[in-house]
Amino acid sequence: MKSPASDIFAISYMRLAGLFMIVLFLALAIFAPLVAPHDPWKTEKPYLSPSGEHPLGTNDIGQDILSELIYATRVSLSIGFLAGFLSVFVGASLGMLAGYYRGAVEEVVMAVSDMVLLIPGLPFMIILAAYLSPSMYNIVLVVSLLWWCPTARVVHSRVLQLREMPFVEAAISLGSRDSYIIVHHILINSKEIIYAKLALSVASAMATEASLSFLGLGDPLSISWGEMIHFSFSRGGFANDMWWWYLPPGIMICASVLSFVMIGMEPERMHKTVEL
Amino acid sequence: MNKEIRILLAASFIFSVLICAVAIAQSATIDSSSVIDKLVIGTTDQVEDINVNDGIFNTYREAFLTKSLIRVDPSGDFVPSLAESWETDDAQKWVFHLVKNATWHDGQPVTAEDIKFSLEYLPEKLGGSNWNIIKEVDAPDESTLIITLNSPDSNFLTNLLMLRTVPKHVFDSVEDPKRFNDPASAIGCGPYKFLDFDPEAGLIRFQAYDSYFEGQPSVKEIDIRMFKNQEAMMMALQKGELDTVYIYSGGISYYYVPDLLENNDLEYILIKNSGVPAAIWANQNRTPFDDVRFREAMSYAMNYEELQNLFTAGYGRKPNAGFIPNGSLNYIETMPLTYNASLASSILNETGLLDADGDGMRNLADGSEFHPEILVRSDSDSVRLGEMLKKYMNAVGLDAQIDVADSSGFWDAVDGKDYDLFVSRTTPWGMMMEAGYATGYMDSRSNGWPAINDAGFTELVDDLLASSSKDETAKLAQAVQEYYASELPAIPLYWNDYVQPYNKKYEGYVVNPIHGILSYETFFGLHPA
Amino acid sequence: MTIKGERQTHIFRKLMRYGFTLFLILSLNFALPRMMPGDPIANLLGEQARRNDPQTIELLKAEYGLDVPVHIQYFRYLKSLTRLELGYSIHKNSSVAGLIAARLRWTLLLVFPSVVIGSILALLLGSLAGFKSRSPTDYVLTALFLILYTCPTFLLAMLLLSIFSFHLGLFPLGNLTTGGTTGLKYVLDIAWHLILPVISLSLLGASYKFLVVRNSVSQIFDKQFVVAARAKGLTERRILMVHVIRNVLPPFISMAALSFGFMVSGALIVEIVFSLNGMGTLIYDAVMARDYPVMQGCFLILTVFVLAANLAADILYSVADPRIGGKGT
């Protein structure tokens, strides 16, 4: 009979591996100027195949792809983090308020979140993204607008559980202020859930941004991995079989999303978070 | 003569006859093998439906489905189409003498009434400021047509190129032609008639019209296969599923050329683009863009060599200041645009745009920050071009910013003159608009992209419109190009040739200035190699 | 209240909630396109319109109802919806309902088989992996599906197109048919064109479901009743199939129905890469051209489908699992 302990170990290994990869990506993003062999904005001969000088060749305007890839880490990660944080912040706040105060607040928040969950994600985001001008912040906004719901629901359930617990009841009867209870008791005890959801939200945000950029709705002036693939598809990289141009960013997207998923994964329940 | 010899003679005679018959039969089959049963053309231009309002289907109408009074031959001259001859004394009253044996695809004869009907019905139902210049149309008899204009326009035949005649007996009863998708709406009088349209397969088929009055084309059927992206289309061409490709006013993107060159079955024609594929337009309603020295400085800041390398893959040419590409009618040599960053800087210094706050970027004369915005469309090519331009302007101390807008937003801004600078191409057709020679783009009364506020230029355009002789037109065209060269309302970034690929199994493709390879010469002259 | 009565109330409340959601989405659908910058008329007239032909513009505005104040537009919108009139597309010059009707079937033809195939694949492989939890089989399968889960839709689609269509020439390069066939040949032709798109979408749909099934199965496998079943002397295979899957099935079915919305999103990208004439490309074109009626219509239809799928999932789940819908068993 397999022991529960081996389960925990397995999850821990996965979490560790994920964390390790995230640290790597962060390092890549922060130390990009040191790691990248060239200035990614410098233009030279276009469409070069991989060589010693340019390990991943050059793109359509002669920029070094490897350097571009490294610098794109910053953009993809920032969008992911910003959107992830924003959606978790909004979601957790709403979830906590709904769970703690119940009543009308709960009804409204849950109803709205149900409604938003039912909207087919990508079509809606395409429509929104096309209205707003193609900029990084608009993408963050668009992605967060839909992703706060899973967090809100999960936090709401947790808060409902916590509410019934003796120490909370004690705090209430002691006459502590609501805000104190929420922050010191509820929030503290929800943090694992929130961290997990944060990781998954970041993962979803990065995947979504990649899709939106591929469709040409991203910010063409801040090159993310998705944007790189977009340019490779629309400027001849695909037709000329320049796999060194579109596969590396694709792999980076997979790897970064995977690493966040690995941290955020819970053994009991997998949540559908990545809508592509 | 004895019996044997008689038999021998008879046998020889019969034998010779047989041999001749075989020889004749052989040559007959050789003749019929110069017919092409089906020409498969790939495109990325999408047809929604076959009504008279569908822009892309209309390109096929103009090219071979129906006819106008005149058409354009490969050298750009106007040649007879439904009109076998025409005359005008004052460029205001035009008289056309029509051919007498043209028929519609349903067998009915084409008369002046049909053309008069088309000239009244189509503008009424579909709009189009092209036709505003017409005052009235008369059809005194079946084969004469008189068109009277509101004002003289020596370039009127260009307007007529857009006439897609329709049969009066079909459209007389059609209230809303935009929703009329019945096959009858595709009845024309051209060499090909409409066969069918399969939207799921992305396939339109046209068949040679056997009663066409100018004879039988050698291509019996035209299949247009529509693709949603150029990648898939080029893959199909590579695999031999397409005989050739067609992109309205364009060619294939240059990054497909290397693979093209490696494929032994494929060849290509270079088509001189009579439009300007990329130009930067300055808004003269704003300072300092209204200062000709600023525009001059900008023109020296651009690295034309690099732009050519990156965006034309060697199929382009460095532009001249006169804007009109060489090879166009009445082209004159003007000063070539050159890259000279230090000259650009010194001219900018003269204009008073100096770095007041020491941040390395120039400020306006009053010391405030200067961020010229370059408006570009959000497609990849434009964005890349914008990036390069920004780089060049940064290099001479101008803190240029790129403003990316998608199609709708872009055209809104352009229409509302809400830009500092923007990047856009001109199409061959657009160059012919209004008085021709890009005046349709430059004149503030039409597109007015540079917002020119110069009465002298307006006068020049009017003179061109009223011009009554080829010599006069040539002189005025020259003056227009000189104006462009000295005032630089728009700076062309490169000129180019389109790459028109085709499968070598057929030869005889001929390029028409308006319709590319969809020319009469192609359809009547194409043959197996 | 009887259990039946409680369940009825529950279902009624659910219907109310869905109805309310539908109404909100309808209103959102109306408001959103109008908040957009850009004018569809300008797009319609093309380059010639740059000359600002105000008369024609006014005519078109009147024809398409853009000249009346917003609240009147809203009432007209609601009224026309009751008649299933979704308006007329300015850009494509055809009725929106007609456009959608023609294209919807292709999206559905892409999505339904993908949902089914993806679900079956996930169920079978997920159960296998969960059953053989911690074994090499499990690791390999889980790793594979994790990668599929994180792989962007467009990348997978592009790779399949490049490898199987272009390099190996096994499948067509896009579009729905090659044209000119009827009857059985036509059906087979379409099937051939849809194989790669369906594979792409199925794999992506299966990835998430696989992970859930695997986790569920490996947990349930540890539960008591399986030990009891073992004690009864049934073989392992019997245990798996009969007991475990039966427990996984109800949430799995509802999850499959819920993933419909996700599949529709994925289908959009697959359609674009494979040049299929479905709702995805329709929405994309409409957005690029600022075609209000088409955008509204598409969005509405898609949302209704997703709502219906979710409602079905909800009802299925409460019917399948007697613990839901009332207090007590």
Side-chain angles (χ1 to χ4, degrees), chain B residues 365-507:
Chain B
D366 61 4
S368 57
E369 300 243 315
F370 181 41
H371 306 293
E373 275 200 10
I374 311 175
L375 174 69
V376 296
R377 286 181 57 173
S378 59
D379 64 275
S380 312
D381 294 351
S382 304
V383 169
R384 292 307 215 197
L385 188 57
E387 276 179 46
M388 300 307 290
L389 297 179
K390 174 178 146 93
K391 197 177 82 150
Y392 300 144
M393 290 182 65
N394 286 158
V396 295
L398 294 168
D399 189 18
Q401 301 296 323
I402 308 183
D403 185 15
V404 181
D406 64 34
S407 184
S408 271
F410 180 79
W411 290 116
D412 275 343
V414 170
D415 284 342
K417 302 276 182 294
D418 186 16
Y419 51 85
D420 289 338
L421 304 160
F422 77 96
V423 174
S424 176
R425 67 170 187 163
T426 68
T427 62
W429 169 253
M431 298 293 272
M432 292 166 69
M433 275 197 303
E434 212 186 350
Y437 310 100
T439 51
Y441 291 103
M442 305 281 189
D443 189 2
S444 297
R445 295 167 299 176
S446 50
N447 282 17
W449 285 355
I452 298 177
N453 300 314
D454 184 346
F457 183 69
T458 320
E459 231 183 272
L460 202 51
V461 176
D462 282 337
D463 286 341
L464 251 180
L465 281 170
S467 156
S468 51
S469 78
K470 281 204 160 143
D471 286 333
E472 197 186 338
T473 307
K475 276 208 339 238
L476 290 166
Q478 194 176 328
V480 163
Q481 287 171 76
E482 279 160 6
Y483 180 87
Y484 294 154
S486 57
E487 290 296 310
L488 292 174
I491 301 170
L493 294 169
Y494 49 87
W495 291 335
N496 69 344
D497 298 328
Y498 295 139
V499 174
Q500 166 68 61
Y502 61 93
N503 192 308
K504 289 203 283 206
K505 70 184 205 226
Y506 300 140
E507 45 183 56

Side-chain angles (χ1 to χ4, degrees), chain B residues 27-241:
Chain B
S27 59
T29 48
I30 289 173
D31 274 345
S32 66
S33 76
S34 66
V35 152
I36 296 178
D37 284 323
K38 187 159 71 164
L39 185 67
V40 183
I41 306 179
T43 182
T44 50
D45 301 318
Q46 300 294 324
V47 165
E48 295 304 327
D49 219 322
I50 62 169
N51 57 70
V52 291
N53 198 33
D54 188 293
I56 299 300
F57 192 69
N58 278 343
T59 60
Y60 306 127
R61 278 182 199 268
E62 277 174 38
F64 51 75
L65 191 64
T66 189
K67 297 169 81 71
S68 174
L69 290 163
I70 38 73
R71 63 179 176 88
V72 166
D73 76 1
S75 60
D77 289 328
F78 290 105
V79 296
S81 189
L82 282 177
E84 58 186 7
S85 64
W86 59 89
E87 64 257 1
T88 179
D89 299 319
D90 51 359
Q92 198 167 354
K93 177 169 165 200
W94 297 72
V95 180
F96 296 90
H97 303 283
L98 310 179
V99 299
K100 298 193 173 49
N101 54 351
T103 51
W104 296 106
H105 295 149
D106 60 0
Q108 300 286 327
V110 178
T111 65
E113 264 304 312
D114 287 313
I115 305 179
K116 172 174 149 87
F117 172 79
S118 303
L119 280 167
E120 289 165 351
Y121 177 83
L122 292 173
E124 182 202 326
K125 297 289 183 186
L126 304 177
S129 37
N130 227 8
W131 310 112
N132 291 346
I133 197 167
I134 297 181
K135 185 164 155 205
E136 77 180 300
V137 182
D138 290 304
D141 59 62
E142 284 214 340
S143 51
T144 314
L145 192 74
I146 306 180
I147 305 180
T148 316
L149 307 176
N150 289 320
S151 57
D153 182 354
S154 61
N155 201 19
F156 179 60
L157 289 179
T158 305
N159 297 41
L160 281 177
L161 285 175
M162 279 193 68
L163 177 64
R164 299 176 280 268
T165 51
V166 291
K168 179 174 175 180
H169 58 274
V170 170
F171 279 86
D172 223 352
S173 52
V174 174
E175 200 29 59
D176 189 359
K178 290 194 258 193
R179 298 177 203 205
F180 183 54
N181 293 314
D182 191 272
S185 88
I187 292 179
C189 49
Y192 288 90
K193 63 178 205 258
F194 169 72
L195 197 56
D196 54 40
F197 169 44
D198 184 352
E200 270 124 38
L203 178 61
I204 315 177
R205 298 194 301 158
F206 299 93
Q207 200 176 56
Y209 175 46
D210 42 24
S211 308
Y212 181 58
F213 71 103
E214 280 177 1
Q216 283 282 294
S218 64
V219 175
K220 292 298 159 205
E221 182 181 316
I222 301 175
D223 280 6
I224 309 267
R225 294 201 147 270
M226 298 181 280
F227 293 83
K228 295 240 188 298
N229 55 65
Q230 219 175 103
E231 299 276 329
M233 182 183 81
M234 290 309 291
M235 285 185 189
L237 181 68
Q238 292 272 357
K239 289 174 70 181
E241 289 171 13

Side-chain angles (χ1 to χ4, degrees), chain B residues 303-338:
Chain B
N303 186 340
Y304 300 100
E305 184 83 43
E306 189 176 26
L307 287 173
Q308 212 198 332
N309 284 337
L310 291 179
F311 295 97
T312 69
Y315 296 98
R317 290 155 277 146
K318 286 194 287 202
N320 292 353
F323 198 77
I324 317 285
N326 65 343
S328 311
L329 187 63
N330 291 328
Y331 166 80
I332 53 159
E333 281 287 332
T334 48
M335 198 183 73
L337 290 170
T338 38

Side-chain angles (χ1 to χ4, degrees), chain C residues 84 92 101 144 264 270 328:
Chain C
L84 284 179
K92 294 225 192 248
L144 181 66
V264 160
V270 168

